[in-house]
Amino acid sequence: MIHKQIFNFRPKSKQRPRMTRTGRAYTPKETKEYEDSIAQAYSGVMFAEGPLHVTLIFDNDKTEITIQSVEDKSNPSKLRGDIDNYAKSVLDGLNGIAYTDDKQIVSLKLRKK
């Protein structure tokens, strides 16, 4: 199964969580509104289980997404964390070491094994 869709609004980077005075973390309003806009605009099916290939292409005024079921399910990943969080740890760790800032990166391919 495959789903392709274009979201015709400007992409926004996820902001860091904020903290209340009591120490509770929360998602900033602008990030929450953007995530809600994506959820409301999505017109595809729910891929309930199984591995997926996801392609995101960000342009100045739109985001294109392709979600595709992976046919070969014989070797599921032993890693349980979100793939984007694994990548974020590495990319942030290399800030100022391998590149000035990770915002320089314009293409990223991720895979869990």
Side-chain angles (χ1 to χ4, degrees):
M1 182 184 313
I2 188 168
H3 176 73
K4 291 185 179 189
Q5 184 171 346
I6 295 175
F7 300 98
N8 288 307
F9 39 88
R10 186 177 180 87
K12 293 186 181 177
S13 178
K14 184 163 185 151
Q15 298 170 310
R16 295 185 185 275
R18 303 290 194 258
M19 299 293 277
T20 65
R21 290 186 186 132
T22 59
R24 187 182 67 82
Y26 68 94
T27 300
K29 180 180 177 186
E30 187 175 308
T31 294
K32 181 69 174 129
E33 288 173 350
Y34 178 72
E35 290 172 351
D36 290 347
S37 296
I38 292 288
Q40 291 172 6
Y42 182 70
S43 63
V45 299
M46 164 66 82
F47 292 81
E49 54 186 54
L52 302 170
H53 289 298
V54 175
T55 302
L56 293 169
I57 301 172
F58 302 101
D59 200 343
N60 194 42
D61 58 351
K62 66 184 177 191
T63 301
E64 182 177 334
I65 185 170
T66 303
I67 304 172
Q68 183 175 5
S69 297
V70 175
E71 298 302 320
D72 180 11
K73 300 174 185 172
S74 60
N75 293 318
S77 176
K78 304 246 187 297
L79 297 173
R80 294 294 161 220
D82 294 352
I83 195 168
D84 57 321
N85 291 335
Y86 288 114
K88 187 89 175 125
S89 296
V90 173
L91 299 178
D92 286 351
L94 292 175
N95 267 337
I97 306 297
Y99 34 76
T100 304
D101 193 288
D102 59 358
K103 68 182 174 187
Q104 293 171 254
I105 300 168
V106 296
S107 179
L108 182 63
K109 182 177 180 179
L110 306 174
R111 182 175 175 203
K112 287 196 305 186
K113 282 183 141 186

